[in-house]
């Protein structure tokens, strides 16, 4: 089928009130696991690569693998650059074949965030690539080890930001934090509903490893169409690897150790997809 952009995945989701899982991938095992889950559940899917994934490999390597794999898939796949904060990386990713990018200017002043977001929107849109940007700030680092403050999004400011930038999807801060190891986020649904009433673009929830299952189930209906999940998959991968190695001290073939990680991550992705209601929506 080949890669498609965020609009092609999120517009139908918005129309039918479901949310699509956007999963952080770091290596070929993650990519295999997420795509296998999407194929088995007949679900659209968004694969995202963060800065640390790019440090581990590169936009060129990741785009080459994912673009090739997406061609073999029968479900819609979007390749999205996650939390980019510089223009060069975004352009490099677009050149490499990414169909969507996120500019994260959430630590900038409002005016600077708008200015930088508009720069990438101009380039991306001319090439059919979609742009997500963030207003308000979802705190904590991706690894969960730095304590950045979370600043909740202000409804009127979200409206102004979307109008000022012409973005395709807007990430908002409504109570989640990146890197949560337990599903303990306190979501401000009132704030979400106020924002939803003011803007038309699909809304994005970051830090969704921390969201309770019962709340994941209603996100699509409440106006969140893209739900970002990373930390939970890292946890499943590392727990599985640890157990596998600990239970067989004579295991010296890393592929034998990695295969169960693929299976477990894939199971977890399927579980989250079912919670979000994107299964069967391809
Ligand atoms: O952009 C990525 C997500 O917001 C992932 O957050 O790692 O806390 O699930 P998470
Ligand atoms: Zn995020």
């Amino acid at each position: 089928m080949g890669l498609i952009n965020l609009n092609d995945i999120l517009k139908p989701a918005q129309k039918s009130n479901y949310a699509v899982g956007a999963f952080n991938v770091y290596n070929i095992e993650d990519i295999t696991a997420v795509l296998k889950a999407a194929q088995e559940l007949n679900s659209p899917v968004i694969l995202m690569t963060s800065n640390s994934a790019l440090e581990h490999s590169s936009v060129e390597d990741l785009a080459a693998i994912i673009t090739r794999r997406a061609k073999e898939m029968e479900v819609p796949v979007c390749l999205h650059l996650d939390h980019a904060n510089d223009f060069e990386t975004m352009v490099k990713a677009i050149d490499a074949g990414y169909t969507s990018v996120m500019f994260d200017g959430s630590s900038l002043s409002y005016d600077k965030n708008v200015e930088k977001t508009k720069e990438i929107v101009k380039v991306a849109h001319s090439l059919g690539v979609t742009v997500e940007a963030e207003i308000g700030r979802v705190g904590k680092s991706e690894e969960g080890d730095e304590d950045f403050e979370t600043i909740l999004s202000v409804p009127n400011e979200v409206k102004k930001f979307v109008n000022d930038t012409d973005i395709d999807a807007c990430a908002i801060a409504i109570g989640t934090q990146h890197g949560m190891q337990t599903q303990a986020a306190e979501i401000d649904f009132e704030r979400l509903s106020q924002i939803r009433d003011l803007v038309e673009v699909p809304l994005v929830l970051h830090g969704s490893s921390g969201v309770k299952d019962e709340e994941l189930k209603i996100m699509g209906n409440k106006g969140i169409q893209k739900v970002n999940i990373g930390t939970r998959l890292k946890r499943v991968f590392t727990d599985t690897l640890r157990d596998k190695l600990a239970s067989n001290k004579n295991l010296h073939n890393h592929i034998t150790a990695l295969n169960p990680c693929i299976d477990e991550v894939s199971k977890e992705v399927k579980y989250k997809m079912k919670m979000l209601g994107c299964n069967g929506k391809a």
Side-chain angles (χ1 to χ4, degrees), residues 22 24 26 48 50 82-83 102 132 138 141-143 177-180 205-210 226-234:
N24 285 106
Y26 296 83
M48 308 190 293
S50 64
D82 196 25
H83 289 289
M102 175 196 187
E132 171 189 335
V138 179
S141 75
E142 187 195 346
E143 299 298 332
Q177 284 194 328
H178 287 112
M180 291 182 80
L205 190 64
H206 282 248
S208 307
S209 294
K226 176 173 178 273
V227 169
N228 289 12
I229 298 174
T231 300
R232 180 64 197 148
L233 303 190
K234 285 197 270 192

Side-chain angles (χ1 to χ4, degrees), residues 109-139:
S109 67
Y110 178 85
D111 289 344
K112 256 293 176 244
N113 192 359
V114 169
E115 181 192 321
K116 298 270 175 201
T117 302
K118 279 169 78 175
E119 275 174 20
I120 192 65
V121 164
K122 197 169 167 205
V123 176
H125 282 181
S126 72
L127 297 164
V129 170
T130 41
V131 178
E132 171 189 335
E134 178 167 331
I135 185 75
R137 184 159 82 226
V138 179

